[in-house]
Amino acid sequence: DGGITQSPKYLFRKEGQNVTLSCEQNLNHDAMYWYRQDPGQGLRLIYYSQIVNDFQKGDIAEGYSVSREKKESFPLTVTSAQKNPTAFYLCASSAGARGKNIQYFGAGTRLSVL
Amino acid sequence: GQNIDQPTEMTATEGAIVQINCTYQTSGFNGLFWYQQHAGEAPTFLSYNVLDGLEEKGRFSSFLSRSKGYSYLLLKELQMKDSASYLCAFLKAGNNRKLIWGLGTSLAVNP
């Protein structure tokens, strides 16, 4: 089955700790995205990548880092510099410039601070 | 600049029809998307409009007027499972293929 897999489903971070959220897709999509969603809020773009080995900052990139070494994978690291990391993190992918840019989402990771 | 607006909350009755409106302002436009998001879950794609007019897909239809910067999602024969948040988003024209998202409309379907 083709799809987007995010792991873990729940994650807890201690003060001063970096944590990494995994996102893998087997849809052969060029573009991948990371969003953050807070309760009652819309989706806010953290980082996005339109092609392997390239990525751009979104609207709220501070305190986060990403890499795109493989087409299938786009991990997000929440660093200790992110002072309010508790949120629902969503990864998405799309065919990018080859298609309509319909974004398909993984099931999400809920991050909480201990 | 760019902006997108949709009502925060709506309520409707099972079996009825509901229309969720979305207005947007942008200097470049490459399509309008609707997503459904149930509480605690990820958004799922519902519809895409790039040309003016109505796109019908089962009980759901989406309409676009580019000249008015306006779209709506029409849900017919409402079911309890349609209770969810409905997100409107548009794709900016240009090389940075980002979606600009509305805050979502929370729809409650009552028996």
Side-chain angles (χ1 to χ4, degrees), chain B residues 27-91:
Chain B
S27 56
F29 174 85
N30 247 349
L32 193 291
F33 300 79
W34 284 96
Y35 284 78
Q36 180 190 59
Q37 185 177 25
H38 283 102
E41 298 181 8
T44 55
F45 170 73
L46 288 178
S47 69
Y48 167 76
N49 296 68
V50 68
L51 300 177
D52 291 352
L54 189 68
E55 294 279 344
E56 296 187 75
K57 194 186 293 185
R59 293 189 300 115
F60 292 7
S61 303
S62 57
F63 171 83
L64 175 66
S65 169
R66 288 173 296 170
S67 62
K68 296 182 179 178
Y70 169 67
S71 173
Y72 67 72
L73 181 69
L74 193 70
L75 291 74
K76 303 176 185 176
E77 301 169 14
L78 280 172
Q79 301 175 10
M80 299 297 288
K81 68 178 182 179
D82 297 328
S83 293
S85 183
Y86 291 86
L87 309 176
C88 173
F90 69 83
L91 180 63

Coordinates of all heavy atoms in Angstrom, one line a residue, chain B residues 27-91:
Chain B
S27 N -2.3 37.6 -5.1 CA -1.8 38.2 -6.4 C -1.6 37.1 -7.4 O -1.5 37.4 -8.6 CB -0.5 39.0 -6.1 OG 0.5 38.1 -5.5
G28 N -1.5 35.9 -7.0 CA -1.3 34.8 -8.0 C -2.0 33.5 -7.4 O -1.9 33.2 -6.3
F29 N -2.7 32.8 -8.3 CA -3.5 31.7 -7.9 C -3.3 30.5 -8.8 O -3.3 30.6 -10.0 CB -5.0 32.2 -7.9 CG -6.0 31.1 -7.6 CD1 -6.4 30.8 -6.3 CD2 -6.6 30.4 -8.7 CE1 -7.3 29.8 -6.1 CE2 -7.6 29.4 -8.4 CZ -7.9 29.1 -7.1
N30 N -3.2 29.3 -8.1 CA -3.0 28.1 -8.9 C -3.9 27.0 -8.5 O -3.6 25.8 -8.7 CB -1.6 27.7 -8.9 CG -0.9 27.8 -10.2 OD1 -1.5 28.0 -11.2 ND2 0.4 27.7 -10.2
G31 N -5.0 27.3 -7.8 CA -5.9 26.2 -7.4 C -6.4 26.3 -6.0 O -5.8 26.9 -5.2
L32 N -7.6 25.8 -5.8 CA -8.3 25.9 -4.5 C -8.6 24.5 -4.0 O -9.1 23.6 -4.7 CB -9.6 26.7 -4.6 CG -10.3 27.2 -3.4 CD1 -11.0 26.1 -2.6 CD2 -9.4 28.1 -2.5
F33 N -8.2 24.2 -2.7 CA -8.4 22.8 -2.2 C -9.3 22.8 -1.0 O -9.3 23.8 -0.2 CB -7.0 22.3 -1.7 CG -6.0 22.2 -2.8 CD1 -5.3 23.3 -3.3 CD2 -5.6 21.0 -3.4 CE1 -4.3 23.3 -4.2 CE2 -4.7 20.9 -4.3 CZ -4.0 22.0 -4.8
W34 N -10.0 21.7 -0.8 CA -10.8 21.5 0.4 C -10.3 20.2 1.0 O -10.2 19.2 0.3 CB -12.3 21.4 0.1 CG -12.9 22.8 -0.1 CD1 -13.2 23.4 -1.3 CD2 -13.4 23.7 0.9 NE1 -13.8 24.6 -1.1 CE2 -14.0 24.8 0.2 CE3 -13.5 23.6 2.3 CZ2 -14.5 25.9 0.9 CZ3 -14.0 24.7 2.9 CH2 -14.6 25.8 2.2
Y35 N -10.1 20.2 2.3 CA -9.8 19.1 3.1 C -10.7 18.9 4.3 O -11.3 19.8 4.8 CB -8.3 19.2 3.7 CG -7.2 19.0 2.7 CD1 -6.9 20.0 1.8 CD2 -6.5 17.8 2.7 CE1 -5.8 19.8 0.9 CE2 -5.5 17.6 1.8 CZ -5.1 18.7 0.9 OH -4.1 18.5 0.0
Q36 N -10.9 17.6 4.7 CA -11.7 17.3 5.9 C -10.7 16.8 7.0 O -9.8 16.0 6.7 CB -12.7 16.2 5.5 CG -13.6 15.7 6.7 CD -14.4 14.5 6.3 OE1 -13.8 13.4 6.0 NE2 -15.7 14.6 6.4
Q37 N -11.0 17.3 8.2 CA -10.1 16.8 9.3 C -11.0 16.5 10.5 O -11.6 17.3 11.1 CB -9.1 17.9 9.7 CG -8.1 17.4 10.8 CD -7.1 18.4 11.1 OE1 -7.3 19.6 11.0 NE2 -5.9 17.9 11.6
H38 N -11.1 15.2 10.8 CA -11.8 14.7 12.0 C -10.9 15.0 13.2 O -9.7 15.0 13.1 CB -12.2 13.3 11.9 CG -13.3 13.0 11.0 ND1 -13.2 12.5 9.8 CD2 -14.6 13.2 11.2 CE1 -14.4 12.3 9.2 NE2 -15.3 12.8 10.1
A39 N -11.6 15.2 14.3 CA -10.8 15.5 15.6 C -9.7 14.5 15.9 O -10.0 13.3 15.9 CB -11.8 15.6 16.7
G40 N -8.5 15.0 16.1 CA -7.4 14.1 16.4 C -6.8 13.4 15.3 O -5.9 12.6 15.5
E41 N -7.3 13.7 14.1 CA -6.7 13.0 12.9 C -6.1 13.9 11.9 O -6.2 15.1 12.1 CB -7.8 12.2 12.2 CG -8.5 11.1 13.1 CD -9.5 10.3 12.4 OE1 -9.7 10.5 11.2 OE2 -10.2 9.5 13.1
A42 N -5.5 13.4 10.9 CA -4.8 14.2 9.9 C -5.9 14.6 8.8 O -6.9 14.0 8.7 CB -3.7 13.4 9.2
P43 N -5.6 15.7 8.1 CA -6.5 16.2 7.1 C -6.5 15.1 5.9 O -5.5 14.5 5.6 CB -5.9 17.5 6.6 CG -5.1 17.9 7.7 CD -4.5 16.7 8.3
T44 N -7.7 15.0 5.3 CA -7.8 14.2 4.1 C -8.3 15.0 2.9 O -9.2 15.8 3.2 CB -8.7 12.9 4.3 OG1 -10.0 13.4 4.7 CG2 -8.1 12.0 5.3
F45 N -7.8 14.8 1.8 CA -8.2 15.6 0.6 C -9.6 15.3 0.2 O -10.0 14.2 0.1 CB -7.2 15.2 -0.5 CG -7.6 15.8 -1.9 CD1 -7.5 17.2 -2.1 CD2 -8.1 15.0 -2.9 CE1 -7.8 17.7 -3.4 CE2 -8.5 15.5 -4.1 CZ -8.3 16.8 -4.3
L46 N -10.4 16.4 -0.1 CA -11.7 16.3 -0.6 C -11.8 16.7 -2.1 O -12.4 16.0 -2.9 CB -12.7 17.1 0.2 CG -13.0 16.7 1.6 CD1 -13.9 17.7 2.3 CD2 -13.6 15.3 1.6
S47 N -11.4 17.9 -2.4 CA -11.6 18.4 -3.7 C -10.6 19.5 -4.1 O -9.9 20.1 -3.3 CB -13.0 19.0 -3.8 OG -13.1 20.2 -3.1
Y48 N -10.5 19.7 -5.5 CA -9.6 20.6 -6.1 C -10.3 21.3 -7.2 O -10.9 20.7 -8.0 CB -8.3 19.9 -6.6 CG -7.4 20.7 -7.5 CD1 -6.6 21.6 -7.0 CD2 -7.4 20.5 -8.9 CE1 -5.7 22.3 -7.8 CE2 -6.5 21.2 -9.7 CZ -5.7 22.1 -9.1 OH -4.9 22.8 -9.9
N49 N -10.2 22.7 -7.2 CA -10.8 23.5 -8.3 C -9.7 24.4 -8.8 O -9.1 25.1 -8.0 CB -12.0 24.4 -7.8 CG -13.2 23.5 -7.3 OD1 -13.1 22.9 -6.3 ND2 -14.2 23.6 -8.1
V50 N -9.5 24.5 -10.1 CA -8.6 25.5 -10.6 C -9.3 26.4 -11.7 O -8.9 27.5 -11.9 CB -7.4 24.8 -11.2 CG1 -7.7 24.0 -12.5 CG2 -6.3 25.8 -11.6
L51 N -10.4 25.9 -12.2 CA -11.2 26.6 -13.1 C -12.6 27.0 -12.5 O -13.0 26.3 -11.5 CB -11.5 25.8 -14.4 CG -10.3 25.4 -15.2 CD1 -10.7 24.6 -16.4 CD2 -9.5 26.7 -15.7
D52 N -13.2 28.0 -12.9 CA -14.5 28.4 -12.4 C -15.5 27.4 -12.6 O -15.6 26.7 -13.7 CB -15.0 29.7 -13.1 CG -14.2 30.9 -12.7 OD1 -13.3 30.8 -11.8 OD2 -14.4 32.0 -13.3
G53 N -16.4 27.2 -11.6 CA -17.5 26.3 -11.8 C -17.6 25.3 -10.7 O -16.9 25.4 -9.6
L54 N -18.5 24.3 -10.8 CA -18.8 23.4 -9.8 C -18.2 22.0 -10.1 O -18.3 21.5 -11.3 CB -20.3 23.2 -9.7 CG -20.9 22.4 -8.6 CD1 -20.7 23.1 -7.2 CD2 -22.4 22.2 -8.8
E55 N -17.5 21.4 -9.1 CA -17.0 20.1 -9.3 C -17.8 19.2 -8.3 O -17.8 19.5 -7.1 CB -15.5 20.0 -8.9 CG -14.6 20.8 -9.8 CD -14.2 19.9 -11.0 OE1 -14.4 18.7 -11.0 OE2 -13.8 20.6 -12.0
E56 N -18.4 18.1 -8.8 CA -19.2 17.3 -8.0 C -18.6 15.9 -7.8 O -18.0 15.3 -8.7 CB -20.6 17.1 -8.6 CG -21.4 18.4 -8.7 CD -22.8 18.2 -9.2 OE1 -23.6 17.7 -8.4 OE2 -23.1 18.5 -10.4
K57 N -18.6 15.5 -6.5 CA -18.0 14.2 -6.2 C -18.9 13.5 -5.1 O -18.7 13.7 -3.9 CB -16.6 14.4 -5.7 CG -15.7 13.1 -5.6 CD -14.4 13.4 -5.0 CE -13.5 14.3 -5.8 NZ -12.2 14.4 -5.3
G58 N -19.9 12.8 -5.6 CA -20.8 12.1 -4.6 C -21.6 13.1 -3.8 O -22.2 14.0 -4.4
R59 N -21.6 13.0 -2.5 CA -22.4 14.0 -1.7 C -21.7 15.3 -1.6 O -22.3 16.3 -1.1 CB -22.6 13.4 -0.3 CG -23.4 12.1 -0.2 CD -23.8 11.7 1.2 NE -22.6 11.5 2.0 CZ -22.2 12.2 3.1 NH1 -22.9 13.3 3.4 NH2 -21.1 11.8 3.7
F60 N -20.4 15.4 -2.0 CA -19.7 16.7 -1.8 C -19.5 17.3 -3.1 O -19.2 16.7 -4.1 CB -18.3 16.4 -1.2 CG -18.3 15.9 0.2 CD1 -19.5 15.6 0.9 CD2 -17.2 15.8 1.0 CE1 -19.5 15.2 2.2 CE2 -17.2 15.3 2.3 CZ -18.4 15.0 2.9
S61 N -19.7 18.7 -3.2 CA -19.4 19.5 -4.4 C -18.6 20.7 -3.9 O -18.7 21.2 -2.8 CB -20.7 19.9 -5.0 OG -21.5 18.9 -5.3
S62 N -17.7 21.2 -4.8 CA -17.0 22.4 -4.6 C -17.1 23.3 -5.7 O -17.1 22.9 -6.9 CB -15.5 22.1 -4.3 OG -14.9 21.4 -5.3
F63 N -17.2 24.6 -5.4 CA -17.5 25.7 -6.4 C -16.3 26.7 -6.3 O -15.8 27.0 -5.2 CB -18.8 26.3 -6.2 CG -19.0 27.6 -7.0 CD1 -19.5 27.4 -8.3 CD2 -18.7 28.8 -6.5 CE1 -19.7 28.6 -9.1 CE2 -18.9 30.0 -7.3 CZ -19.4 29.8 -8.6
L64 N -16.0 27.2 -7.5 CA -14.9 28.3 -7.5 C -15.3 29.4 -8.4 O -15.8 29.2 -9.5 CB -13.6 27.7 -7.9 CG -12.4 28.7 -8.1 CD1 -12.0 29.3 -6.8 CD2 -11.3 28.0 -8.8
S65 N -15.1 30.6 -7.9 CA -15.2 31.8 -8.8 C -13.9 32.6 -8.6 O -13.7 33.2 -7.5 CB -16.4 32.7 -8.4 OG -16.3 34.0 -9.0
R66 N -13.0 32.5 -9.6 CA -11.7 33.2 -9.4 C -11.8 34.7 -9.4 O -11.1 35.4 -8.7 CB -10.8 32.7 -10.6 CG -10.3 31.3 -10.5 CD -9.6 30.8 -11.7 NE -10.5 30.8 -12.9 CZ -10.1 30.7 -14.1 NH1 -8.8 30.5 -14.4 NH2 -10.9 30.7 -15.1
S67 N -12.8 35.2 -10.2 CA -12.9 36.7 -10.3 C -13.4 37.3 -8.9 O -13.0 38.4 -8.6 CB -13.9 37.1 -11.4 OG -15.2 36.6 -11.1
K68 N -14.1 36.5 -8.2 CA -14.6 36.9 -6.9 C -13.7 36.4 -5.7 O -14.0 36.8 -4.6 CB -16.1 36.5 -6.6 CG -17.0 37.0 -7.6 CD -18.5 36.6 -7.3 CE -19.4 37.2 -8.3 NZ -20.8 36.7 -8.1
G69 N -12.8 35.6 -6.0 CA -11.9 35.1 -4.9 C -12.8 34.3 -3.9 O -12.7 34.5 -2.7
Y70 N -13.6 33.4 -4.4 CA -14.7 32.8 -3.6 C -14.8 31.3 -4.0 O -14.8 30.9 -5.1 CB -16.0 33.5 -3.8 CG -17.2 32.9 -3.3 CD1 -17.4 32.7 -1.9 CD2 -18.2 32.4 -4.1 CE1 -18.5 32.1 -1.4 CE2 -19.3 31.8 -3.6 CZ -19.5 31.7 -2.3 OH -20.7 31.1 -1.8
S71 N -15.0 30.5 -2.9 CA -15.2 29.1 -3.1 C -16.2 28.6 -2.1 O -16.3 29.3 -1.0 CB -13.9 28.3 -3.0 OG -14.2 26.9 -3.0
Y72 N -16.9 27.6 -2.4 CA -17.7 26.9 -1.3 C -17.7 25.4 -1.5 O -17.5 24.9 -2.6 CB -19.2 27.5 -1.3 CG -20.1 27.1 -2.4 CD1 -20.5 25.8 -2.7 CD2 -20.4 28.1 -3.3 CE1 -21.4 25.5 -3.7 CE2 -21.3 27.8 -4.4 CZ -21.7 26.6 -4.6 OH -22.5 26.3 -5.7
L73 N -17.9 24.8 -0.3 CA -18.0 23.3 -0.3 C -19.4 23.0 0.1 O -19.9 23.6 1.1 CB -17.0 22.7 0.8 CG -17.0 21.2 0.9 CD1 -16.4 20.6 -0.3 CD2 -16.2 20.8 2.2
L74 N -20.1 22.2 -0.7 CA -21.5 21.9 -0.4 C -21.6 20.4 0.0 O -21.1 19.5 -0.7 CB -22.3 22.1 -1.7 CG -23.8 22.1 -1.6 CD1 -24.3 23.3 -0.9 CD2 -24.4 22.0 -3.0
L75 N -22.2 20.2 1.1 CA -22.3 18.8 1.6 C -23.8 18.5 1.6 O -24.6 19.2 2.3 CB -21.8 18.7 3.0 CG -20.2 18.7 3.2 CD1 -19.7 20.2 3.1 CD2 -19.8 18.2 4.6
K76 N -24.2 17.4 0.9 CA -25.6 17.0 0.8 C -25.8 15.8 1.7 O -24.9 15.1 2.0 CB -26.0 16.7 -0.6 CG -25.7 17.8 -1.6 CD -26.0 17.4 -3.0 CE -25.7 18.4 -4.0 NZ -25.8 17.9 -5.4
E77 N -27.1 15.6 2.0 CA -27.5 14.4 2.8 C -26.6 14.2 4.0 O -26.0 13.1 4.1 CB -27.5 13.2 1.9 CG -28.5 13.3 0.7 CD -28.3 12.2 -0.4 OE1 -27.6 11.2 0.0 OE2 -28.7 12.4 -1.5
L78 N -26.5 15.2 4.8 CA -25.5 15.2 5.9 C -25.7 13.9 6.8 O -26.8 13.5 7.1 CB -25.6 16.4 6.7 CG -25.0 17.7 6.2 CD1 -25.3 18.9 7.0 CD2 -23.5 17.5 6.1
Q79 N -24.5 13.4 7.2 CA -24.5 12.3 8.1 C -23.7 12.7 9.3 O -22.9 13.6 9.3 CB -23.8 11.1 7.4 CG -24.5 10.6 6.1 CD -23.8 9.5 5.4 OE1 -22.8 8.9 5.9 NE2 -24.2 9.2 4.1
M80 N -23.9 12.0 10.4 CA -23.2 12.3 11.6 C -21.7 12.2 11.5 O -21.0 13.1 12.0 CB -23.7 11.3 12.8 CG -25.1 11.3 13.1 SD -25.7 12.9 13.7 CE -24.9 12.9 15.3
K81 N -21.2 11.3 10.6 CA -19.8 11.2 10.4 C -19.2 12.4 9.7 O -18.0 12.5 9.6 CB -19.5 9.9 9.6 CG -20.0 10.0 8.2 CD -19.6 8.7 7.5 CE -20.0 8.7 6.0 NZ -19.7 7.5 5.3
D82 N -20.0 13.3 9.1 CA -19.5 14.5 8.5 C -19.1 15.6 9.5 O -18.6 16.6 9.1 CB -20.6 15.1 7.5 CG -20.9 14.1 6.4 OD1 -20.0 13.4 6.0 OD2 -22.1 14.1 5.9
S83 N -19.4 15.3 10.8 CA -19.0 16.3 11.8 C -17.4 16.3 11.8 O -16.8 15.3 12.1 CB -19.5 15.9 13.2 OG -20.9 16.0 13.3
A84 N -16.9 17.4 11.5 CA -15.4 17.5 11.3 C -15.1 19.0 11.1 O -15.9 19.8 10.9 CB -14.9 16.7 10.1
S85 N -13.8 19.2 10.9 CA -13.3 20.5 10.5 C -13.0 20.5 9.0 O -12.5 19.5 8.5 CB -12.0 20.9 11.3 OG -11.6 22.2 10.9
Y86 N -13.4 21.5 8.3 CA -13.2 21.6 6.8 C -12.3 22.7 6.5 O -12.5 23.9 6.9 CB -14.6 21.8 6.1 CG -15.4 20.5 6.3 CD1 -16.2 20.3 7.4 CD2 -15.3 19.5 5.3 CE1 -16.9 19.1 7.5 CE2 -16.0 18.3 5.5 CZ -16.8 18.1 6.6 OH -17.5 16.9 6.7
L87 N -11.1 22.4 5.9 CA -10.1 23.3 5.7 C -10.1 23.7 4.2 O -10.1 22.9 3.3 CB -8.7 22.7 6.0 CG -8.6 22.1 7.4 CD1 -7.2 21.4 7.6 CD2 -8.8 23.1 8.5
C88 N -10.0 25.0 4.0 CA -9.9 25.6 2.7 C -8.4 26.1 2.5 O -7.8 26.6 3.4 CB -10.8 26.8 2.6 SG -10.7 27.8 1.1
A89 N -7.9 25.9 1.3 CA -6.5 26.3 1.1 C -6.3 26.6 -0.4 O -7.0 26.0 -1.3 CB -5.5 25.2 1.4
F90 N -5.5 27.6 -0.7 CA -5.2 27.9 -2.1 C -3.7 27.8 -2.4 O -2.9 27.9 -1.5 CB -5.7 29.3 -2.6 CG -5.0 30.5 -2.0 CD1 -3.8 30.9 -2.6 CD2 -5.6 31.1 -0.9 CE1 -3.2 32.1 -2.0 CE2 -4.9 32.3 -0.4 CZ -3.8 32.7 -1.0
L91 N -3.4 27.4 -3.6 CA -2.0 27.3 -4.0 C -1.5 28.6 -4.7 O -2.2 29.0 -5.7 CB -1.9 26.1 -5.0 CG -0.5 25.8 -5.6 CD1 0.5 25.4 -4.5 CD2 -0.5 24.7 -6.6

